[in-house]
Each structure stands twice: as structure tokens, then as C-alpha cells.
Amino acid sequence: MKEVKQHKRRGRLPKIEVVDLFCGIGGLSYGMKSKGFKILAGFDLDWTCQYAYETNNDAKFIYKDIKTVTKNDILPLYSKNAIKVLAGCAPCQPFSSYAFKNKKKDPNKYDLLYEFGRLVEEVKPDIVTMENVIQIIAFKEKPVLQDFVDRLNFIGYKIDVNQVYCPDYGIPQTRKRLVLLASRLGDIKLIPSTHTKDHYVTVQDAIGNLPPLEAGESCPTDALHRCRALSPLNMQRMVVTPYGGSWKDWPEELMLECHKKEGGKSFGSVYGRMVWGEPAPTMTTECTGIGNGRFGHPEQNRAISAREAALIQTFPATYKFFPNEQEVSLAKASRYIGNAVPPKLGEVIAESIKQHIRNH
């Protein structure tokens, strides 16, 4: 507490510096940067994320396996008198709803949250934030979340764990995420929700002003506003899918055999169209394909474009994903966008940290 009192000045916050583990293309970092935090570096094992991370966050991208990262890699990055924040979103595939149905899980990814905990113990930052899928709470193969919380408790952190419904914070998708905040300075809380159901940000708000596209077309003035081509059969399916509808509205001859079986009936949103007046579904790494969820455009006969997916994830139109945006890979863009923390959620986390520091 003595160090915090030295920082505290009337009307001014101390310098807040962030190191981002599992940083990807930088959605979390960008949101925190937008609130005035100094982003120092991001660590990730996907080297292709380096351009987007460094270009948009004015921070260093460090290509290194988290299992080999130590305090000697992190501590020298921070300034002497700054509030030190260690942030991260350990890859969530082992804990996702899909993984519960998929028996071939990657056992190595179970341990990434333990590595995060190890680094918190080594570095002892002032504040920690961790974002993940909410299914991690119910994950039965290993009590990874409880072990993480217990470890932070043991070394003196006050902890706040939240199940966040993203529309409650102005994010136009029905994503549900776990957000953990922890502090050595005192009690810490996520800020209250900023939006009510009557004022959720909608698909219309996010993408309603973009130029129309045909399937397989790219916008001449925005290379990221590009969508996948459709086969003749899938185009027939798209044409007969009504507003807000899905494959359940097709004539039987257009249905896939798997959807006719009892097990296939649970995937009711597949090949579905979004609705203008509601938030979009959760963006995934396959969000630009109509066969992977309710990713059909509300009115146009196509899946959403990479730009539309990015806007729904709250990336600004100025965000740079590729050094040459005339050579946009839809598969890569979808993976970047679907894996990212929405920058707006990063802003919410940052605002929570700022309020916490003011209180302490």
C-alpha cells in the first residue's frame, strides 16, 4: 500500500502499464490502450499476429512459448513507479462448448492457465486480469479455474470473478465470457453493466451502413469487406432462408442429411440469418461461413464479411489486420477476429482497473 500512496495525486492516475499474455492480434491490449494504459508487450506463439499487434498497439510482440517465459522476460519491461498489470486470455479451446462434444482435446492446452498462475506468482504484478469462456467454470477434467483463484488468493490477491454477457456492455454479440480481476492493492470489482436490453447495440448499429455485397465479392474501397463465395446449392439454400430463419425453414430436398437426424436438430442456428434489431451471435474462428452458425447476412444472400465480423467484435474500421490489405486471407482474418477479445471488453476491464486505482 505504501507504493500506491506514493503514486496517488489529486485528480491524476499513476502510469498504468500492461503486459499481455496470449495476446493474439491485440483486441484486449487495444481496448486498454484506448483508455490510456501503456501497452508494453504482448506474448504469443502465433507469429502471424505480430503485424496487427505491433501496428495497432505501439507495443512489442514477443514470439515465445508461455511455458518458457519467466519473470526475467516480463519484469524488465515495466517502469519503476508504474502500476503493473499482467493480462491474458489463455486459449480456451479445451474449455469451450465445442470441446465438451469433441473427445480429441489437446491436453497441452489444459496447462496454460497454470502457466499464467506461475507467472503471476513470479512477477507479482499489482493487478491481474484474465478473460476466458464461461465453460471453464464447469470444466470437470481439471479444476483449472479454482486452482488459479486459489493460487492468487494464497499470494495475497483480492479476486473478483464475473460471468459477463457482452450486450450488457455495449458489445453487439451474445458472447458470454468469464472475466477475472485480481489486485494486491485491495478489493476490485468489474464496473456495472452499461446497457439494458432495451438499449443493446444491434447488428444494424454495427454493420447496417456498409455497402452491399454479392457472395464472393470484395468491396473496392475496403479489402476486409469481403465475403465467401457460395456453391450453387448453398446459394439456393441462402435464397430460401427467411429473415431470422435457418435451415429449419428449407424444403426437405435442400436439407443436409445430418440435420434430418435427431442429433442435428440441436444445431438450429446453422445456415441462419442474423436479425437487424438484435445483437449478433458470438463471433467464432469460422464466422465468415454460413455453415458454421447464424452468420448469414440479415438480407443479402451471403455470409457476413470479415469487416462485418470485425465491427461486431468492436474492432474499429481503422484497425490494421494485414500489412497488405489487398491480400486478405478470409480464413486467417476469421481466425484472428474470432479468437480476439473484443476491444470494447478491454475498455470495460480498463475502466474497472482505473476506478479501482482511484479507490485505493
Side-chain angles (χ1 to χ4, degrees):
M1 291 298 292
K2 184 178 179 182
E3 183 182 11
V4 178
K5 288 178 182 176
Q6 289 174 339
H7 287 311
K8 193 168 182 180
R9 297 180 185 177
R10 186 179 301 169
R12 289 188 63 184
L13 284 170
K15 184 188 294 185
I16 305 169
E17 296 181 343
V18 181
V19 173
D20 188 353
L21 306 178
F22 319 103
C23 65
I25 60 166
L28 176 61
S29 287
Y30 189 84
M32 299 177 93
K33 175 175 173 277
S34 300
K35 287 294 183 177
F37 291 17
K38 174 64 177 175
I39 311 301
L40 302 175
F43 288 78
D44 205 282
L45 202 53
D46 182 355
W47 66 268
T48 70
C49 295
Q50 180 172 359
Y51 171 81
Y53 188 82
E54 292 188 342
T55 302
N56 296 285
N57 290 290
D58 301 321
K60 185 178 182 181
F61 179 92
I62 300 173
Y63 173 68
K64 194 165 185 178
D65 187 338
I66 199 71
K67 295 180 180 181
T68 67
V69 176
T70 71
K71 66 179 181 181
N72 296 327
D73 297 299
I74 297 174
L75 277 172
L77 298 168
Y78 292 111
S79 302
K80 184 177 179 181
N81 294 318
I83 293 288
K84 300 172 181 64
V85 178
L86 190 61
C89 174
C92 57
Q93 288 90 338
F95 317 117
S96 69
S97 55
Y98 171 76
F100 283 116
K101 302 167 188 172
N102 178 19
K103 302 302 180 187
K104 295 181 180 179
K105 306 182 184 81
D106 181 353
N108 294 320
K109 288 186 175 177
Y110 295 163
D111 296 330
L112 293 177
L113 197 54
Y114 291 99
E115 295 296 335
F116 192 176
R118 171 184 62 82
L119 288 170
V120 172
E121 193 166 355
E122 288 183 16
V123 174
K124 292 184 174 60
D126 299 299
I127 294 167
V128 176
T129 181
M130 189 273 289
E131 189 260 13
N132 219 301
V133 295
I134 61 170
Q135 288 87 351
I136 195 174
I137 297 169
F139 190 70
K140 293 182 172 58
E141 293 190 30
K142 280 189 179 183
V144 285
L145 177 63
Q146 191 59 52
D147 287 348
F148 186 74
V149 169
D150 290 346
R151 189 171 198 167
L152 268 60
N153 263 323
F154 182 74
I155 57 177
Y157 285 88
K158 300 287 188 180
I159 298 166
D160 184 45
V161 179
N162 303 270
Q163 295 184 51
V164 171
Y165 183 54
C166 285
D168 290 339
Y169 289 92
I171 300 164
Q173 60 176 305
T174 57
R175 178 180 292 248
K176 297 176 182 177
R177 302 296 284 186
L178 177 134
V179 174
L180 178 147
L181 293 166
S183 175
R184 298 174 69 206
L185 313 179
D187 290 332
I188 187 168
K189 294 287 183 187
L190 194 72
I191 61 170
S193 58
T194 57
H195 290 66
T196 62
K197 189 172 182 179
D198 292 339
H199 297 92
Y200 282 164
V201 182
T202 66
V203 172
Q204 177 79 52
D205 297 325
I207 67 170
N209 64 343
L210 292 182
L213 292 178
E214 300 288 340
E217 192 176 32
S218 296
C219 176
T221 59
D222 180 359
L224 205 68
H225 188 33
R226 173 185 171 195
C227 58
R228 295 186 186 279
L230 295 178
S231 68
L233 179 57
N234 275 340
M235 180 56 79
Q236 286 183 60
R237 290 167 170 159
M238 199 78 233
V239 167
V240 300
T241 304
Y243 176 71
S246 71
W247 66 268
K248 292 185 176 181
D249 301 291
W250 298 345
E252 188 171 348
E253 62 268 21
L254 291 181
M255 291 183 181
L256 284 76
E257 288 302 316
C258 61
H259 293 155
K260 297 177 185 178
K261 298 175 182 177
E262 193 61 34
K265 293 178 181 177
S266 62
F267 296 97
S269 295
V270 176
Y271 290 90
R273 289 187 186 271
M274 296 178 185
V275 174
W276 283 127
E278 297 176 2
T282 300
M283 295 294 101
T284 70
T285 57
E286 297 179 328
C287 57
T288 55
I290 61 169
N292 303 306
R294 191 176 292 278
F295 300 132
H297 189 277
E299 296 175 353
Q300 297 162 36
N301 292 322
R302 59 175 177 86
I304 59 170
S305 70
R307 172 65 70 202
E308 288 165 333
L311 292 172
I312 289 167
Q313 272 281 63
T314 70
F315 282 98
T318 54
Y319 207 86
K320 301 294 184 186
F321 292 90
F322 300 96
N324 181 357
E325 296 214 330
Q326 299 310 309
E327 297 177 4
V328 171
S329 161
L330 269 178
K332 195 174 285 187
S334 302
R335 176 167 59 83
Y336 288 162
I337 293 163
N339 277 335
V341 177
K344 183 70 175 176
L345 186 55
E347 292 181 25
V348 170
I349 291 168
E351 190 59 42
S352 302
I353 291 171
K354 287 169 73 172
Q355 290 198 17
H356 166 69
I357 292 170
R358 290 189 188 102
N359 292 337
H360 294 277

